[in-house]
Amino acid sequence: MLGLGLAGLGYASVVERNWFRLRRFDVPVLERGQRPVRVLHLSDLHLTPGRTMLINWVRSLGALEPDLVVNTGDSIAHPEAVPSLLHALEPLLSRPGLFVYGSNDLYAPKPKNPARYLWRTSKNERRQHVPSLPWEELGAGMASEGWLDMNNTTARIKVGDLDVAVAGIHDSHISRDRYDLVAGPAPEDADLRLGVMHSPEPRNMTRFAADGYQLLLAGHTHGGQLCIPFYGALVTNCGIDRARVKGLSRHDSAWLHVSAGLGTSPYAPVRFACFPEATLLTLVPRR
């Protein structure tokens, strides 16, 4: 039994954690006659400078030549990780892009018992009041290449042939989301209305959908991270239900995509039955 346990731990920490996958979904969200566009959704890299395999895999995604890249946060997990992250993203930074922050872009991870997530979420548990990670450097690095900082703001962006209206919020998991700053009907003249957030909290997703945003993108959940085959995630670490912990689903009138993410906390470097992933969403006309 001990041998099986050690083998499982070795697989989860060495093999599956580095077995990166690209998932693909078609999302029928465009009007008839509009050309499909491809959105690359990245999330939860939790990057440290030594993650060479992850860095190289993310760099390889540049060959996809997506029309838009969306990064839904928790990009770094180390004070010196920003140069490594920008190196990983370098082949993608010439593409149109958007980003929001997650809590781990501001606050460095700390050793803790990961089993506590079985009975509670980590919402607002951080006792740090001053950010300990270089989140401003992180944001400036992406923004300097043209990516839009969508934390508690709105914007318009050209994506392929589409005029896209975007609303984004900061991380609700640390109570930095301010939906009231982006609230109101989404522009009806936009070809696509996109909502971006880190943590998929239903209260915010419901407001996005009510305001007319058609596609919502989030991360944070790690897909459950430690899952049971044929059962799925045990927990989501937020208010969303287990059935929608990752992948494409619906929320009210909107499509929702939750990324299972590419990384883990340095203090819980394991994944089981939940491969690290990025997602290529092809937006196509509705039938």
Side-chain angles (χ1 to χ4, degrees), residues 44-165:
D44 297 271
L45 276 74
H46 293 273
L47 193 65
T48 55
R51 295 292 314 274
T52 303
M53 293 179 66
L54 174 55
I55 291 168
N56 290 338
W57 191 83
V58 172
R59 286 183 62 83
S60 75
L61 298 175
L64 297 172
E65 298 186 345
D67 299 293
L68 176 68
V69 184
V70 179
N71 177 1
T72 49
D74 274 5
S75 297
I76 57 174
H78 189 281
E80 299 177 5
V82 171
S84 297
L85 178 76
L86 296 178
H87 177 66
L89 294 177
E90 185 267 335
L92 296 165
L93 289 172
S94 62
R95 318 299 298 183
L98 314 168
F99 67 92
V100 293
Y101 296 125
S103 61
N104 285 281
D105 294 319
L106 282 74
Y107 303 109
K110 292 184 175 181
K112 58 190 71 173
N113 176 14
R116 73 197 183 289
Y117 291 142
L118 295 177
W119 62 84
R120 54 169 289 187
T121 77
S122 59
K123 181 175 174 60
N124 288 327
E125 72 173 11
R126 298 176 181 275
R127 301 189 183 279
Q128 304 176 67
H129 299 289
V130 178
S132 54
L133 290 178
W135 63 274
E136 292 175 306
E137 179 186 351
L138 168 66
M142 291 185 285
S144 68
E145 299 294 332
W147 284 18
L148 301 182
D149 180 341
M150 296 307 306
N151 290 284
N152 298 325
T153 193
T154 60
R156 299 286 281 262
I157 186 172
K158 188 74 171 177
V159 179
D161 294 334
L162 303 182
D163 173 28
V164 180

Side-chain angles (χ1 to χ4, degrees), residues 205-281:
M205 298 189 301
T206 295
R207 296 188 72 179
F208 273 119
D211 280 342
Y213 290 93
Q214 302 156 288
L215 174 61
L216 312 180
L217 302 182
H220 174 71
T221 65
H222 295 193
Q225 190 164 329
L226 298 176
C227 299
I228 297 176
F230 310 110
Y231 177 80
L234 296 172
V235 295
T236 67
N237 196 26
C238 64
I240 200 171
D241 52 286
R242 291 190 309 102
R244 297 185 296 164
V245 71
K246 66 177 179 180
L248 188 67
S249 63
R250 299 285 289 183
H251 186 85
D252 297 340
S253 60
W255 287 98
L256 167 69
H257 181 260
V258 179
S259 172
L262 283 162
T264 65
S265 166
Y267 298 108
V270 293
R271 279 182 176 258
F272 190 80
C274 186
F275 291 93
E277 65 183 41
T279 308
L280 189 66
L281 302 169

